[in-house]
Amino acid sequence: MGRVRRGVVGNSRYARRLRSAIRETADDAAHRPVLISGEPGLGKDNLAALIHYGSDRRRQLLLRFSHQDLQGQGMSLLSDLGDSTVLINGFDQIDPPLRQKLIAMARGDVQSFQGRMLFTSEASQPDLDGITSLIRVPPLRVRRSDLGDWLRYYLRLKCSELGWNQPPNLPDSAVRRLQNHEFANNLRELEAMVDRALRQARQQSQGELPPLLPEEVFWTAEKTRRARFDVWRWKPRLRDWMRAPTLWNALLFSLVSWLFVAVNLVLWLGPQDRAANPVLTLFWAWWWPLILLSYPLVGRLWCAICPFMVWGQIAQRLTPWRKKSWPHGDVDRWGAPALAAGFAAILLWEEVWNLENTAWLSSCLLLLITAGAVIGSTVFEKRFWCRYLCPVGGMKGLFAKLSILELRAEVGTCSGSCSSYACFKGGPADGEGLATEGCPLGTHPAHMSDNRNCVLCMTCTQACPNRSVQLRLRPPAADLQRRMDAPDGERGLILVLAGGGFCLHQWQRLLGWLPLAPTSLHEGPLLPRLSIAAFALAIPAGIGLWLPRRWLYACLPLLWAVLLARHLPLGMLEAGTVLPAGWPKWQADQHVIAFCQTVVMGIGWIGAAVLLRRLVDLNRLRWLTGTMVLLLMSLAGRWLVSL
């Protein structure tokens, strides 16, 4: 056997423990036999070489035999080995009679052999208990913190093999995404993935390696997704209609953009109270309840026709001389807290300044978000504001994980047939693929693990020449799994939304008894009103910061339910009053509203109980206890949102 290929890469506790075990067995003065067990593709034979060449027997021969070598010739291959070190690779696959002879050699019962025995196996071997020192090699999926080190190691190795002097840098986003991959073949699969990524990156850059390796060149096997229904395979003509550029251009630039201008003009120049301004009623009594109802059905579809980003795109096209680039690094690390803080500010503004009944202030809110979109689109390419900083977009991305609809690409088709990445980067027309600027949120449809960064704008469908993109129906909340890729800062947004849904709007029931509490948040000195509103908003954060992240995501259906139940009365009482004079008016009965609120809270509780079972590892008793806690939260929410 040749020299050692590599050492133990990484600095996790698993890597340190593995180095320590190799060092101890190498220094063993008694030269006890060693069994190295672990899954396929972990380089167990390399670890055996590390033991041999790290011991005082390093000058002796290291002879490697596989189970295929021994099946035909048996012990004749192992005769007259003297004091060599013998590595038996795949001990668990050797026939029982030959295994007993090898065990005898390990015990020292064969006088002609005075060397050391090393074994590798993919399963435990009770026959070797008490005879060998055992080293268990952990699989790559439990050493996720080492993955970045392994990727950089293989990048250096493969670049040297391919004749490139300087390896490209590795984006942190690629490491985070691959940390959620199972790697069934461990290091063997990772090495092949890096080799393919480098070759595709060179092909994509016309023979030159880019300084930063694109995330989209790392292809992983598609996870088995159960209960998916491809809508476009069922109705192919629907795909042609939904990807038509004329439809989207007419909708966005001929209708939505100018309708948004008209809405703001009416909010500024028309009556200022909701009873007299039908546009203000449309905003608060129609838009909010309907957008909340849409999340479990179509996810972030509203973002595809969002007027904020329509004007952001217009500003981007009007400033073609500016050199725009997509920022690199972990933007979510600071973007997610900033987004949560922005949404908290909106909730306080809405409650303290009575935006629901003040038309010009509601317009100011719309224009402020639009200003953020315009500035972000002027400075950066694509929809930087929409992906990282838009408070409303962050809420939609969070609740889109509950949606029964997803837009995804087939990994096998993309990895085997595509090298242009037009769906992600944009490019000219190619066969059936149309000319586009690429995904506005900078994500590849085959690499998405959830709906957070998919606005269903159909750009990837327009660009794809291979019909790889599919519009699928799926079970609700399919994105929420125990191993999911979610930014750490998303916890803050969940707690802010919980503060708005459970506490802020119902502050009088919760905090009205305090001596310094104002009689109203809409009148009186500003500081006491703002202080009590901020305190109410922060109540869930004081509790939720101590909860594990999985518990917070399990409560997501309940949070959606309380927000919808909170907006239902406004919608069911006033949505039917915006019709012109002479048209029939419609208002729901108080009992009907109360019934609908109860049904919504019940749906939220059932969904939260199901997710608690899926996301958190609990025995039956603890799950039932958690379900009762969720029921109490649901009942409390129902009481808080009651009329």
Side-chain angles (χ1 to χ4, degrees):
M1 181 176 176
R3 305 293 296 180
V4 176
R5 297 192 299 275
R6 61 177 175 270
V8 178
V9 177
N11 198 38
S12 67
R13 69 177 186 274
Y14 299 103
R16 294 194 298 269
R17 191 180 303 160
L18 186 57
R19 287 193 199 96
S20 177
I22 290 172
R23 191 180 306 113
E24 289 176 6
T25 52
D27 294 340
D28 183 9
H31 301 148
R32 291 188 66 199
V34 181
L35 172 62
I36 305 172
S37 68
E39 294 180 0
L42 286 170
K44 296 182 288 294
D45 56 344
N46 180 71
L47 299 180
L50 282 174
I51 294 172
H52 171 74
Y53 290 111
S55 70
D56 56 5
R57 299 176 51 84
R58 65 179 65 91
R59 297 187 182 278
Q60 307 298 327
L61 289 176
L62 173 61
L63 304 176
R64 177 185 180 276
F65 297 95
S66 66
H67 66 280
Q68 295 98 334
D69 298 330
L70 297 175
Q71 293 299 108
Q73 303 183 51
M75 291 297 292
S76 61
L77 283 177
L78 302 176
S79 59
D80 300 326
L81 294 177
D83 56 357
S84 301
T85 299
V86 177
L87 168 61
I88 305 297
N89 207 12
F91 180 76
D92 52 325
Q93 301 180 48
I94 296 176
D95 292 337
L98 186 55
R99 286 161 59 98
Q100 296 304 316
K101 297 177 181 179
L102 292 172
I103 292 173
M105 289 181 62
R107 286 177 176 154
D109 296 342
V110 179
Q111 295 184 355
S112 62
F113 178 68
Q114 302 298 321
R116 188 178 192 181
M117 297 290 292
L118 305 175
F119 301 95
T120 69
S121 172
E122 294 179 4
S124 60
Q125 299 299 315
D127 292 346
L128 295 176
D129 289 348
I131 303 173
T132 61
S133 299
L134 176 61
I135 296 178
R136 290 191 176 91
V137 186
L140 191 57
R141 64 178 175 275
V142 305
R143 302 162 54 187
R144 300 184 189 275
S145 60
D146 290 336
L147 186 61
D149 294 329
W150 276 108
L151 283 165
R152 294 178 184 91
Y153 164 77
Y154 279 125
L155 281 176
R156 293 192 299 269
L157 180 68
K158 293 298 177 181
C159 283
S160 176
E161 292 178 0
L162 295 172
W164 300 319
N165 296 327
Q166 184 67 30
N169 293 321
L170 182 68
D172 294 337
S173 56
V175 178
R176 290 196 304 273
R177 181 171 63 83
L178 293 176
Q179 283 174 336
N180 291 295
H181 182 57
E182 293 296 325
F183 286 103
N185 288 314
N186 293 290
L187 299 178
R188 189 183 305 144
E189 180 180 348
L190 181 63
E191 183 177 5
M193 179 191 299
V194 171
D195 182 79
R196 180 173 189 167
L198 287 171
R199 295 178 187 275
Q200 286 201 356
R202 182 176 65 172
Q203 180 183 0
Q204 181 180 343
S205 302
Q206 299 178 349
E208 297 290 335
L209 268 182
L212 182 71
L213 203 60
E215 178 186 352
E216 64 268 19
V217 298
F218 288 97
W219 292 102
T220 58
E222 186 172 16
K223 296 179 181 179
T224 302
R225 299 183 182 273
R226 296 177 294 176
R228 296 297 194 272
F229 178 77
D230 185 359
V231 177
W232 289 338
R233 181 173 295 179
W234 172 53
K235 294 290 184 182
R237 295 194 60 172
L238 183 62
R239 175 182 179 273
D240 298 333
W241 178 76
M242 294 181 69
R243 72 191 292 263
T246 53
L247 169 69
W248 292 99
N249 290 333
L251 184 63
L252 295 177
F253 299 106
S254 299
L255 178 62
V256 172
S257 59
W258 299 111
L259 183 62
F260 183 68
V261 173
V263 165
N264 281 278
L265 287 175
V266 174
L267 291 176
W268 275 91
L269 304 177
Q272 290 301 297
D273 62 304
R274 197 169 63 245
N277 193 320
V279 172
L280 190 60
T281 304
L282 283 171
F283 180 48
W284 291 104
W286 279 84
W287 187 84
W288 268 108
L290 289 179
I291 201 68
L292 287 165
L293 279 170
S294 72
Y295 292 147
L297 301 176
V298 293
R300 290 191 71 170
L301 180 60
W302 167 258
C303 290
I305 56 172
C306 172
F308 309 141
M309 279 313 305
V310 170
W311 284 100
Q313 287 179 276
I314 293 173
Q316 204 166 58
R317 294 178 182 182
L318 292 176
T319 56
W321 62 87
R322 294 188 60 88
K323 184 179 180 181
K324 307 174 182 70
S325 61
W326 192 261
H328 299 296
D330 189 3
V331 181
D332 274 321
R333 183 171 298 175
W334 59 267
L339 187 152
F343 207 100
I346 289 175
L347 290 175
L348 292 174
W349 189 14
E350 172 189 331
E351 196 66 31
V352 176
W353 277 268
N354 194 19
L355 262 66
E356 289 186 2
N357 205 39
T358 311
W360 75 273
L361 283 178
S362 295
S363 176
C364 287
L365 173 61
L366 298 177
L367 294 175
L368 185 64
I369 298 176
T370 305
V374 169
I375 295 172
S377 299
T378 304
V379 176
F380 300 108
E381 65 176 342
K382 302 187 186 255
R383 294 189 180 185
F384 176 79
W385 168 266
C386 189
R387 173 165 178 171
Y388 292 110
L389 296 176
C390 178
V392 181
M395 176 184 67
K396 294 172 186 173
L398 181 66
F399 287 123
K401 299 178 182 183
L402 304 176
S403 174
I404 61 171
L405 203 64
E406 67 178 14
L407 194 68
R408 298 290 189 273
E410 294 182 305
V411 172
T413 303
C414 294
S415 61
S417 305
C418 180
S419 60
S420 64
Y421 307 107
C423 61
F424 169 76
K425 298 176 60 180
D430 178 16
E432 186 179 321
L434 306 176
T436 70
E437 297 178 356
C439 175
L441 266 63
T443 55
H444 195 294
H447 291 163
M448 286 191 296
S449 58
D450 58 38
N451 279 346
R452 182 171 66 99
N453 290 325
C454 179
V455 298
L456 296 173
C457 63
M458 304 300 160
T459 303
C460 56
T461 310
Q462 295 170 355
C464 180
N466 303 307
R467 295 202 170 206
S468 175
V469 183
Q470 299 176 345
L471 184 68
R472 304 168 180 165
L473 292 174
R474 64 181 192 176
D479 290 340
L480 300 176
Q481 305 291 336
R482 291 193 183 182
R483 289 176 178 166
M484 55 185 177
D485 182 17
D488 294 333
E490 208 168 49
R491 171 199 295 262
L493 179 60
I494 295 175
L495 296 176
V496 167
L497 289 171
F502 281 94
C503 303
L504 180 56
H505 192 64
Q506 294 79 22
W507 70 273
Q508 285 184 319
R509 293 188 176 186
L510 295 174
L511 304 174
W513 54 271
L514 292 175
L516 299 179
T519 56
S520 171
L521 288 184
H522 304 152
E523 298 176 352
L526 176 61
L527 185 59
R529 293 187 289 132
L530 191 59
S531 299
I532 200 72
F535 181 67
L537 187 64
I539 290 175
I543 302 171
L545 286 176
W546 302 96
L547 289 176
R549 188 173 63 173
R550 291 178 184 174
W551 282 80
L552 293 178
Y553 280 103
C555 295
L556 204 56
L558 190 58
L559 177 57
W560 166 81
V562 77
L563 288 173
L564 179 57
R566 173 252 194 267
H567 285 91
L568 274 180
L570 190 61
M572 298 180 73
L573 286 173
E574 299 187 19
T577 65
V578 299
L579 298 175
W583 289 64
K585 306 294 183 181
W586 176 83
Q587 283 183 317
D589 184 78
Q590 300 277 0
H591 297 89
V592 175
I593 297 174
F595 173 77
C596 292
Q597 287 179 310
T598 302
V599 169
V600 168
M601 294 304 301
I603 293 173
W605 170 64
I606 294 172
V610 172
L611 281 183
L612 182 66
R613 185 70 168 175
R614 182 196 301 174
L615 297 179
V616 185
D617 187 12
L618 299 173
N619 58 34
R620 185 177 295 274
L621 178 60
R622 291 184 177 180
W623 175 72
L624 289 174
T625 304
T627 302
M628 291 301 103
V629 172
L630 291 173
L631 178 60
L632 293 176
M633 292 173 60
S634 178
L635 293 174
R638 176 65 186 88
W639 171 72
L640 287 170
V641 300
S642 60
L643 295 174

